[in-house]
Amino acid sequence: MRYLLAGGGPAAVFCAEAVRRLDSAGDITMLAPDAGRLRGRMALPEYLGGDLPKESACFRPETFCRDHKIQPISGRKLSSVYPEKSVAVLSDGSELRYDRLLLATGSHPICPEWFKEGCQGLYTFWEEEDAEKLAAHIKPGDKAVVAGGGLVGLKVAEALRKVGLEVTVLEAAGQIMPRQLDETASALASEAAAAAGVAVKTSTAVAGIGVAGQKVESVMLSNGKEIPAAHVVVCIGVKPNLRMLAHLGAETAGGVEVDCHMRTRWEGVYAAGDVAKGGVFPAGGKQIVATWQNAVKQGTAAGVNMAGGFLAYEGSIRVNTANIFGRPLAAAGETLRGPGLEEAVFYNPSSGCYRKLILREATLVGFILWGDIRRAGALLPMIGASLRDFPGKARFGGETNLL
């Protein structure tokens, strides 16, 4: 059996490990930017802020491919796929035949219209090269603007502040982390940012940049104001890397759909991670869930099924865990208000601890924990479970306290 894994992130790595557990003799080829340096993306802000050596960001040793009898291919990307022939064409025009193909090509940053390639002081922050470029040009006292108040943007802002920059975060929505947090948790995150010396402006976006000699010197805001900035980091979202499927006439802007075995519509082609539009639990429907945990689970399921085993992946749960400006956060499942949802809330303003459970007909569908996340490990496997066994107030107190 010939396995071709397009990608070098957690989805491809865990797929390879699952394949090798079931098939010790099959040929595995991995297309990765650098298969000898399998790094975790969310460790990059820690590297930028000086909290983590770059080498520590590796989630597998340099001997990974050799240890698992994998043929790595670096420097060439997947250009197109011809499922009817089981042929993959690489960026240099060479062809590879496969029996099973995994699309785990990840995603790329969305760049707004005002982003000018080659302009000094403009950065995206998604790959190791982005972190290295930013680290090489910043110095204490510089003014920086982070466009985007999601998790990545906040972690970048925190890292820049730690190395002595004056940092402003701009978020177009009315609150930071609008997809993960409710108003209360978002306000607490904004307070933590302010305490760390990071300015946060919500309902404000970058309308343009001021440039002098191909170098950024200011940012024009959507409210008409202008602020000085030597560095602007764009963290407003990502899109899946699926250009290799464009010639097939497939609509892939929102990801490629997969079933519970991670199979796409094309025979022998599987997908996992940031490109895979799979089931979402407990909300239902199909979406891309671009988290580390999801990539690991989808990659594992894909590997088992590609190698002839059987593993049904019931659906992705959105999980975000992080330490933001010194405060721990865990948010999972449905975290925002919606029809048919009820909430159980614990909030201690003096300690800043905030915990919320979200339920639908006594079934736990999500939670937000800020400041104290010790219950996250117990709550996560309970998502989708009925809490009717905890009658009345006992559901949230005493020996069975879930909050």
Side-chain angles (χ1 to χ4, degrees):
M1 185 72 75
R2 295 168 297 183
Y3 304 94
L4 177 59
L5 313 182
V13 167
F14 279 80
C15 175
E17 292 176 339
V19 166
R20 193 51 84 207
R21 285 194 294 268
L22 296 178
D23 185 350
S24 61
D27 294 327
I28 303 177
T29 300
M30 178 180 285
L31 288 171
D34 189 341
R37 297 187 300 168
L38 301 171
R39 303 195 189 282
R41 176 168 288 124
M42 288 311 296
L44 294 178
E46 276 69 28
Y47 157 65
L48 177 65
D51 294 329
L52 187 70
K54 186 168 61 175
E55 294 72 20
S56 299
C58 293
F59 65 95
R60 288 296 183 272
E62 291 186 4
T63 59
F64 172 80
C65 287
R66 183 173 70 246
D67 295 343
H68 290 78
K69 295 183 291 183
I70 297 170
Q71 175 61 46
I73 296 181
S74 300
R76 290 180 284 171
K77 297 181 179 180
L78 184 61
S79 178
S80 53
V81 180
Y82 296 89
E84 71 282 2
K85 302 177 183 178
S86 295
V87 170
V89 179
L90 307 189
S91 52
D92 64 350
S94 60
E95 295 184 356
L96 289 177
R97 294 193 174 273
Y98 64 85
D99 297 303
R100 299 287 186 270
L101 168 65
L102 176 73
L103 300 175
T105 46
S107 51
H108 62 275
I110 296 172
C111 291
E113 292 182 0
W114 49 262
F115 191 93
K116 301 176 182 178
E117 291 287 348
C119 182
Q120 186 177 342
L122 278 183
Y123 316 86
T124 54
F125 197 90
W126 199 238
E127 303 293 347
E128 181 181 329
E129 292 75 14
D130 298 330
E132 291 176 338
K133 180 181 176 182
L134 185 53
H137 287 89
I138 57 176
K139 62 182 184 297
D142 285 352
K143 298 181 185 296
V145 167
V146 177
L151 180 57
V152 174
L154 293 179
K155 293 299 292 182
V156 170
E158 182 178 13
L160 292 174
R161 183 64 190 142
K162 283 183 177 180
V163 294
L165 277 69
E166 296 183 29
V167 186
T168 300
V169 174
L170 304 178
E171 170 54 52
Q175 64 177 65
I176 57 176
M177 295 189 71
R179 295 183 180 88
Q180 298 91 2
L181 302 182
D182 63 6
E183 292 180 4
T184 302
S186 179
L188 290 169
S190 292
E191 291 174 7
V198 173
V200 174
K201 297 181 183 295
T202 56
S203 301
T204 308
V206 178
I209 55 172
V211 179
Q214 289 299 304
K215 185 176 181 180
V216 172
E217 62 175 10
S218 65
V219 169
M220 276 75 79
L221 308 182
S222 54
N223 60 13
K225 296 182 180 180
E226 184 175 2
I227 59 175
H231 311 281
V232 180
V233 188
V234 177
C235 303
I236 60 174
V238 295
K239 288 184 177 180
N241 294 324
L242 288 169
R243 292 180 181 176
M244 74 290 298
L245 303 180
H247 65 289
L248 298 176
E251 176 54 54
T252 57
V256 58
E257 285 200 15
V258 294
D259 65 12
C260 64
H261 298 101
M262 310 316 298
R263 296 175 298 203
T264 70
R265 73 185 78 175
W266 300 286
E267 182 68 27
V269 181
Y270 296 70
D274 288 9
V275 301
K277 191 176 182 180
V280 178
F281 180 78
K286 290 191 174 183
Q287 300 176 19
I288 288 179
V289 177
T291 64
W292 176 277
Q293 296 94 332
N294 183 56
V296 167
K297 292 180 178 179
Q298 286 188 337
T300 299
V304 169
N305 294 308
M306 290 167 69
F310 181 89
L311 179 58
Y313 185 40
E314 295 182 353
S316 306
I317 298 177
R318 293 186 177 276
V319 180
N320 286 281
T321 59
N323 189 293
I324 300 176
F325 301 108
R327 301 290 282 172
L329 163 70
E334 298 186 39
T335 57
L336 306 179
R337 289 175 179 166
L341 298 180
E342 62 174 310
E343 301 175 349
V345 176
F346 169 86
Y347 177 36
N348 185 342
S350 62
S351 68
C353 288
Y354 176 71
R355 300 192 286 271
K356 183 173 81 168
L357 306 183
I358 301 92
L359 303 101
R360 178 182 288 115
E361 297 180 352
T363 295
L364 183 67
V365 296
F367 63 83
I368 298 174
L369 306 178
W370 172 269
D372 181 355
I373 65 171
R374 288 174 293 177
R375 290 175 175 83
L379 288 171
L380 188 57
M382 294 179 67
I383 290 182
S386 174
L387 302 185
R388 294 187 186 277
D389 291 338
F390 301 100
K393 293 183 179 179
R395 224 189 297 171
F396 309 114
E399 294 294 326
T400 57
N401 183 15
L402 299 180
L403 281 174

